[in-house]
Amino acid sequence: MNGLKVCTAIRNKDFEDDVIKAVKEMGWTHSYVNMDDIVNENRKTNQVFVVEDNYASILNLIEFHNSSKLNFMPVVVLSSPDSKFKDWVKGVKYPEKYFHTSVNTFRYLSAPIITAMVNLAESYHNRIFGLFRECTDSNFKNNQLDMRAFLDGELKFITDLLYAERGSIMLLGDKNTLIIEAATKASLVGLEVERKPDSVAWTVIDTMQPVFVENIASDPRFKKTAGYAKDYFLSLPIFLNKKIAGVLNLSDKMVSLIFDTNDYEKAQSLLAVMEPYLYIYKLTKYVQALRNKQ
């Protein structure tokens, strides 16, 4: 439970001070709920919200994130006897992401309730990656002869998980080009991108390092193009058998200002699951090419 951050929004400041004191005694850190906690930090499992139900606007914003099956922001919802919003939790999509209790109960059981919710979120997070493995395996079985259909399914899962409105998977071709094998914009699939060292994708290929861009208009490495509705995106290398093989591009994030290291770490984990399947496709293609030459 190291590094746990507890974010609170409680009307009674004396009670909130007591909660903060208990949090610090447990060795955890505290933050009053702010936009960054909700928008940029929701992918972490070492964070829990304690929010009184009178702060309905805060809870509604959290629920926007939690309504995605792939996210789990653990929330303790507190109700006082005079609360007008006791039924708020009845309207959430996934009730298991919330622990609804009274202010008085939480006063005596704050530490075990917070601990239980964080552990539940971590377990849920692990199950999501298990789900991705299952989906990838099923996707591969259903598309053994169609790599683009396989990659299309993988890309849809990845963009959903990381809240990207746009994305693409580009693989190195035989003619020193990058071929768009999957894209949220279907018309791009099959296009070849010739080598251009100052482009984002080729920078990733040449450096074998991810590229985070917060504002492409002011980033001296690249020129702004009409291809990005927003100025921030994440591109990271795809490796096969420890060799650079392509690029995963994610852009136009829906719910936060920028892509961050949490997005990168999640994307890396997903690519690690996908890699052996993609390697089989590449080997199959190589064998077919040899057969055609015979």
Side-chain angles (χ1 to χ4, degrees):
M1 204 67 69
N2 291 334
L4 174 65
K5 181 166 68 171
V6 179
C7 308
T8 63
I10 303 171
R11 287 185 307 167
N12 186 317
K13 294 307 174 185
D14 290 335
F15 174 55
E16 188 169 44
D17 287 342
D18 290 341
V19 172
I20 295 170
K21 180 180 178 181
V23 164
K24 292 182 178 179
E25 287 176 351
M26 291 296 297
W28 303 331
T29 60
H30 171 263
S31 169
Y32 295 106
V33 175
N34 58 65
M35 187 65 71
D36 268 353
D37 290 326
I38 301 173
V39 174
N40 290 323
E41 301 297 323
N42 70 83
R43 293 160 305 282
K44 291 184 177 179
T45 57
N46 60 340
Q47 178 176 266
V48 63
F49 291 88
V50 178
V51 182
E52 193 169 350
D53 57 13
N54 284 285
Y55 289 101
S57 59
I58 293 175
L59 289 172
N60 288 336
L61 182 57
I62 292 174
E63 171 59 11
F64 174 79
H65 294 268
N66 266 345
S67 62
S68 168
K69 183 178 181 180
L70 302 174
N71 287 323
F72 192 129
M73 299 171 66
V75 185
V76 179
V77 180
L78 303 179
S79 288
S80 57
D82 62 342
S83 173
K84 298 179 181 179
F85 299 93
K86 291 181 181 179
D87 292 333
W88 182 89
V89 292
K90 293 182 179 179
V92 302
K93 190 171 183 180
Y94 298 106
E96 65 270 23
K97 300 177 183 180
Y98 300 86
F99 187 93
H100 187 206
T101 187
S102 69
V103 170
N104 288 334
T105 299
F106 186 73
R107 187 186 301 272
Y108 299 105
L109 296 172
S110 57
I113 289 174
I114 290 172
T115 300
M117 288 304 294
V118 174
N119 288 338
L120 188 61
E122 185 173 356
S123 175
Y124 190 94
H125 175 80
N126 292 334
R127 291 203 307 273
I128 288 301
F129 281 95
L131 175 63
F132 182 71
R133 293 185 187 95
E134 293 175 7
C135 290
T136 297
D137 188 56
S138 175
N139 187 18
F140 177 75
K141 290 177 180 177
N142 294 333
N143 298 288
Q144 287 193 28
L145 300 178
D146 190 340
M147 182 179 71
R148 285 183 177 171
F150 169 77
L151 290 177
D152 181 66
E154 299 299 281
L155 182 63
K156 286 177 180 176
F157 195 105
I158 293 171
T159 53
D160 187 16
L161 177 60
L162 299 180
Y163 284 113
E165 291 185 47
R166 298 187 186 186
S168 65
I169 294 175
M170 311 169 77
L171 298 180
L172 284 169
D174 299 329
K175 302 176 182 178
N176 197 30
T177 61
L178 278 168
I179 303 172
I180 301 176
E181 302 287 0
T184 50
K185 188 175 181 180
S187 60
L188 297 178
V189 176
L191 293 181
E192 293 191 41
V193 180
E194 295 184 355
R195 181 172 183 78
K196 190 176 180 182
D198 62 348
S199 69
V200 176
W202 281 105
T203 297
V204 173
I205 293 294
D206 291 339
T207 63
M208 294 187 289
Q209 297 293 325
V211 170
F212 292 84
V213 172
E214 295 184 17
N215 187 349
I216 195 171
S218 61
D219 195 313
R221 297 174 296 176
F222 313 110
K223 296 179 180 178
K224 181 165 176 65
T225 68
Y228 298 101
K230 301 173 183 176
D231 290 332
Y232 43 86
F233 53 87
L234 165 64
S235 296
L236 62 161
I238 298 173
F239 294 98
L240 294 181
N241 201 24
K242 298 182 180 180
K243 294 182 180 179
I244 188 72
V247 181
L248 168 66
N249 300 299
L250 300 169
S251 66
D252 298 0
K253 194 168 184 181
M254 291 182 281
V255 294
S256 82
L257 298 179
I258 60 174
F259 290 98
D260 59 21
T261 54
N262 291 312
D263 296 310
Y264 170 61
E265 290 169 1
K266 271 191 176 180
Q268 268 197 318
S269 298
L270 297 174
L271 286 177
V273 172
M274 190 177 77
E275 179 181 339
Y277 297 91
L278 185 54
Y279 192 54
I280 291 174
Y281 279 113
K282 298 290 283 187
L283 285 177
T284 302
K285 183 178 179 181
Y286 178 72
V287 171
Q288 289 175 342
L290 288 179
R291 288 175 178 174
N292 293 334
K293 289 182 181 180
Q294 294 177 353

